[in-house]
Amino acid sequence: MESDREASRAAARAKPLLRALAGEAVWPPPLWLMRQAGRYLPEYRAVRAQAGDFVALCTTPDLAAEVTLQPVRRFGMDAAILFSDILILPWAMGQPLRFAEGEGPVLDPPVRDAAALAALDTRAAVARAAPVLETVRRVRARLEAEAPGVALIGFAGAPFTVACYMVEGRGGGDFARARELAYRDPAWFGRLIRLLAEATADYLIAQAEAGAEALMLFDSWAGLLPPSQFRRWVIEPAAAVARAVRRRHPEVPLIGFPRLAGPMLAEYAQRVAGLRAVGMDTAMDPRWAAQAVAADLALQGNLDPLALVAGGAAMEAEARAILAAMRGRPFVFNLGHGVVPQTPPEHVAQLVRLVRAG
Ligand SMILES: Cc1c2[nH]c(c1CCC(=O)O)Cc1[nH]c(c(CCC(=O)O)c1C)Cc1[nH]c(c(CCC(=O)O)c1C)Cc1[nH]c(c(C)c1CCC(=O)O)C2
């Protein structure tokens, strides 16, 4: 028993992603890609067709575990990211969700008043997300057996980004209605954000308990906010989530990704206590981030997903510039946003070879 435990501790220590998140300048850096499972892979499209709709895919542990593992098998990534979606949490709180073909996500009816807020069942959310937690358990067991160096990342949307979708009812725009409401009725918007922060922390804690070894908080639309609003709706809720997760699972590293934050990334990295890494989006200059963010915090990012579509010498030059800027500090190679459907899988293989060569 004791030696088993020792062996599994040693294995965890040896996982390159976890070493980088612990503050070690692992080189060549560990690598995974946001949306590494998705429509650009024929094996994903096959499982997606079998599942029918997208919510069914996210809530069928066998299928979700299979698509989680596909990019790890094909490319030898250093991490698997749980296959699910940030909108599964509002769905689990009782807001109906569908992914309409060619339309993106639809949350209908939208949440815009006190009655809609009162109707959300935050207490039942983790229980309704049980299939997702079962996916985490299965993926973790498969990785332990088949790919012991690969770490499993769990995730959730950050309160502001999830609130944007819940209020607007759909994506595709600039979430003007949600952002206006945040000014017009900050008490109401603040209640929604607080409720989401609590549910998000509970959900992340449950993922850690099911076997997630690192957690990521996606705030995709953080960059729409001016500094005062960014502090209130991005930094404070992220700090609340991080505090709650750290109280229960101080050993599980948290990655924050306030997309398009620009110079506010420095304040986010400094004020969200307990973060182990911050994500750089496509627009971020990695040389700026390297001096703006504490040297023991890992940076993650940030190749342009479209450079990955183009491949070849253009992609190589971009990737090498990022590697040069990050050398000598804790770093996780990734894209600046998710893999897009038109990406040739061979270009991902080319990128993996390049990063592995350091
Ligand atoms: C904003 C956001 C969403 N979802 C997510 C974000 C934050 C990151 C970002 O900014 O991209 C996060 C997400 N979505 C998905 C994952 C799974 C893990 C992974 O990264 O591989 C993760 C981590 C799968 C998915 N989520 C979605 C797909 C495509 C669904 C399909 O197969 O048809 C996948 C693989 C759908 C989705 N989900 C969302 C949108 C707007 C869409 C429609 C756009 C699209 O279709 O690409 C909401």
Side-chain angles (χ1 to χ4, degrees):
M1 266 316 276
E2 199 50 44
S3 65
D4 277 7
R5 210 172 301 143
E6 273 305 308
S8 81
R9 277 203 207 107
R13 274 199 299 276
K15 293 187 183 189
L17 179 85
L18 300 182
R19 285 168 50 205
L21 295 179
E24 194 185 323
V26 179
W27 211 264
L31 157 85
W32 69 279
L33 305 180
M34 292 186 276
R35 290 278 181 96
Q36 63 188 14
R39 283 169 300 201
Y40 77 108
L41 290 178
E43 60 268 37
Y44 170 85
R45 293 195 299 269
V47 176
R48 173 82 160 79
Q50 199 183 323
D53 69 282
F54 181 73
V55 176
L57 175 54
C58 292
T59 54
T60 306
D62 263 343
L63 300 182
E66 169 58 23
V67 295
T68 301
L69 292 163
Q70 285 172 346
V72 173
R73 260 189 234 125
R74 190 195 261 255
F75 304 112
M77 300 296 183
D78 291 294
I81 181 161
L82 165 67
F83 189 83
S84 178
D85 197 85
I86 64 165
L87 302 180
I88 288 292
L89 186 63
W91 170 83
M93 288 172 18
Q95 192 179 15
L97 169 66
R98 61 175 200 277
F99 283 79
E101 199 57 55
E103 209 191 327
V106 179
L107 285 159
D108 186 28
V111 172
R112 291 178 190 163
D113 56 25
L117 207 56
L120 295 172
D121 192 350
T122 47
R123 281 176 205 290
V126 170
R128 280 195 78 198
V132 176
L133 301 171
E134 179 57 24
T135 304
V136 172
R137 268 179 227 107
R138 290 188 195 190
V139 172
R140 181 68 192 281
R142 294 265 290 275
L143 290 174
E144 292 304 317
E146 294 164 28
V150 177
L152 174 56
I153 303 172
F155 72 91
F160 174 68
T161 288
V162 174
C164 279
Y165 285 99
M166 291 174 80
V167 170
E168 214 73 38
R170 58 185 61 238
D174 62 359
F175 303 100
R177 194 191 301 261
R179 291 186 289 132
E180 186 203 322
L181 246 177
Y183 287 111
R184 203 153 35 75
D185 194 350
W188 182 87
F189 196 74
R191 279 202 297 283
L192 173 59
I193 292 288
R194 267 195 306 283
L195 176 151
L196 282 170
E198 278 170 34
T200 302
D202 290 348
Y203 182 46
L204 289 173
I205 288 165
Q207 290 181 40
E209 289 172 358
E213 299 167 283
L215 298 166
M216 181 155 163
L217 198 57
F218 286 90
D219 217 342
S220 302
W221 303 108
L224 294 175
L225 296 174
S228 64
Q229 299 285 291
F230 185 97
R231 292 186 183 105
R232 189 166 184 185
W233 309 126
V234 172
I235 292 181
E236 285 178 24
V241 171
R243 209 179 304 121
V245 172
R246 201 155 52 118
R247 199 180 307 129
R248 294 284 289 279
H249 291 287
E251 76 288 3
V252 179
L254 183 65
I255 307 165
F257 182 43
R259 195 168 76 88
L260 300 175
M264 291 302 285
L265 186 73
E267 195 171 322
Y268 179 95
Q270 193 183 2
R271 287 191 38 208
V272 183
L275 277 186
R276 293 305 321 149
V278 288
M280 300 181 289
D281 58 73
T282 304
M284 174 66 52
D285 180 351
R287 289 169 308 178
W288 179 85
Q291 54 80 33
V293 168
D296 64 336
L297 258 193
L299 287 168
Q300 173 173 280
N302 73 338
L303 183 71
D304 188 343
L306 296 177
L308 186 61
V309 174
M315 177 185 84
E316 258 193 61
E318 293 294 320
R320 285 193 203 290
I322 294 166
L323 288 167
M326 292 291 114
R327 200 168 184 121
R329 68 167 295 136
F331 172 56
V332 178
F333 198 99
N334 206 314
L335 301 181
H337 202 189
V339 177
V340 293
Q342 69 270 33
T343 305
E346 314 81 77
H347 293 180
V348 176
Q350 182 198 351
L351 177 67
V352 172
R353 283 194 300 274
L354 185 151
V355 174
R356 296 283 186 235

